Amino acid sequence: MYSDLAIFSGRAHPELAKAICARLGRPLGKVDVFEFSNENIFVQYQENIRMRDVFLVQPFCSPVNTSIMELLIMIDAAKRASAGRITAVIPYFAYGRSDKKDQPRVPISARLVANLIETAGADRVLTMNLHAGQIQGFFNIPVDELNALYPVSAYFRNENIENCVVVATDVGDEKRARDMAVRLDMPLAIIEKRRIGNTDRTEAVNVIGDVKDRNVLILDDEIDTGGTITEAVRVLREQGCRDVYVSCYHPILSGPAVDRLRKADVREIVVTDSVPVPPEKQLPNMKIIPIAPQFGDAIGRIHSGQSVGALFQ
């Protein structure tokens, strides 16, 4: 049996790690993580972790590749310090869109990242809302995937938006949007879109479903450059919808995303804090739902050998 629970944070999102520790009533573990002048990452744990149940909190957010490498080195350092069990806590798993070989001569990067995490020495993974469900199967170690559907749907249920339709940003997101529609007892509509080459540009071409004179809730798993969302708002407005609400689980908000969302005719934007949202990216109509309670409860259950699935019942 592992002796004690120990939670450490990389540099990607220490605020989330502190909130998780507060949920569990435990201190955040002490670890030095920094880069030398040659950009090589150094990690040293500042407390004994021998035979302890170690959880390393590190979403793969900007700078993405540094965040990934940092976690791999933290895992290796913990393994060499004789940690009893190492769980990689990855609220946002980058490279999730590269989950299949959909063009000639392209990688399956999500599988590669999974292999790296295993090779580094992680014993299990705790994550939230992977871009594609099959990514769980890329790992040969246990993966617990939390779902931000629960806190986000609870928020919108309290908002009590009348005459509302949940809108999926494309056919591939239909299941995610349908789950939200079921929990909110709302109908579903789907936007038909085309992605333009390997760029971040998309074009919305049609709406499958009736949105005229109705409020709409657009749901996506992540907002990257904001192109998909703003195209969705445009085509929904053309179809005669009323107020537009936008929600996503991972607010990446890269490049022109914030400017696009600021100019979009949207009443409210609801996101989680799976990745940091710095003040300059927080808009007046943005609501940030904390996910530390979910992760804290899941970590407590993993440590004590209880069912994580029970959190979803």
Side-chain angles (χ1 to χ4, degrees):
M1 190 65 184
Y2 314 110
S3 59
D4 186 26
L5 173 62
I7 301 172
F8 297 90
S9 175
R11 294 177 297 170
H13 201 350
E15 295 80 13
L16 176 60
K18 290 173 186 173
I20 290 170
C21 288
R23 175 77 173 188
L24 291 167
R26 304 187 66 87
L28 183 62
K30 295 183 176 65
V31 59
D32 277 348
V33 184
F34 62 86
E35 283 184 25
F36 291 110
S37 56
N38 62 1
E39 299 182 18
N40 289 191
I41 297 168
F42 178 81
V43 170
Q44 184 177 36
Y45 292 93
Q46 298 298 307
E47 56 190 79
N48 181 18
I49 57 173
R50 182 176 294 272
M51 292 311 298
R52 294 177 76 183
D53 197 7
V54 172
F55 292 79
L56 307 177
V57 181
Q58 181 87 328
F60 293 158
C61 53
S62 181
V64 172
N65 298 322
T66 299
S67 296
I68 293 172
M69 193 66 196
E70 192 170 285
L71 176 64
L72 298 176
I73 295 172
M74 291 182 75
I75 293 169
D76 185 75
K79 185 179 180 182
R80 295 176 189 280
S82 300
R85 178 173 64 177
I86 302 166
T87 301
V89 182
I90 310 169
Y92 171 65
F93 189 87
Y95 289 100
R97 291 178 178 178
S98 181
D99 62 314
K100 56 186 174 294
K101 196 166 183 283
D102 55 359
Q103 301 175 55
R105 300 173 297 281
V106 298
I108 303 179
S109 305
R111 174 63 190 263
L112 173 62
V113 174
N115 289 345
L116 289 169
I117 292 166
E118 281 187 53
T119 301
D123 297 296
R124 64 187 304 134
V125 169
L126 175 62
T127 187
M128 187 180 84
N129 291 101
L130 294 166
H131 183 69
Q134 67 262 28
I135 295 172
Q136 286 194 28
F138 293 172
F139 290 90
N140 293 310
I141 55 177
V143 176
D144 291 301
E145 183 183 5
L146 303 183
N147 196 343
L149 167 71
Y150 299 101
V152 172
S153 63
Y155 174 81
F156 280 111
R157 199 179 298 115
N158 290 335
E159 290 279 274
N160 196 26
I161 307 169
E162 295 182 351
N163 193 26
C164 189
V165 179
V166 177
V167 179
T169 54
D170 65 20
V171 175
D173 281 331
E174 181 266 344
K175 184 183 184 303
R176 186 179 294 111
R178 185 177 297 279
D179 290 343
M180 179 69 78
V182 168
R183 287 190 68 83
L184 297 178
D185 193 24
M186 294 176 180
L188 178 70
I190 302 170
I191 290 176
E192 183 185 356
K193 76 174 184 183
R194 297 193 193 103
R195 184 166 292 279
I196 303 171
N198 285 322
T199 68
D200 289 322
R201 291 181 57 216
T202 59
E203 180 184 20
V205 294
N206 190 28
V207 179
I208 304 169
D210 182 20
V211 297
K212 184 175 175 58
D213 296 325
R214 308 188 77 161
N215 297 314
V216 294
L217 167 56
I218 305 172
L219 180 67
D220 208 347
D221 66 322
E222 67 178 75
I223 298 177
D224 185 7
T225 63
T228 294
I229 291 295
T230 50
E231 271 290 292
V233 173
R234 178 189 64 77
V235 76
L236 289 166
R237 288 292 181 197
E238 289 176 357
Q239 296 286 327
C241 74
R242 291 169 59 190
D243 284 338
V244 177
Y245 298 80
V246 168
S247 182
C248 82
Y249 300 147
H250 304 298
I252 307 306
L253 305 179
S254 58
V258 174
D259 285 339
R260 285 173 170 173
L261 291 173
R262 185 180 287 115
K263 294 172 184 174
D265 189 5
V266 172
R267 177 158 182 172
E268 189 173 32
I269 303 165
V270 179
V271 302
T272 78
D273 60 351
S274 65
V275 298
V277 184
E280 64 270 17
K281 292 187 177 183
Q282 295 179 22
L283 298 171
N285 60 341
M286 183 179 287
K287 170 71 176 178
I288 301 175
I289 307 288
I291 57 168
Q294 261 192 305
F295 274 90
D297 293 348
I299 288 170
R301 285 176 172 274
I302 291 169
H303 177 63
S304 61
Q306 295 176 279
S307 167
V308 174
L311 291 172
F312 307 139
Q313 296 170 4

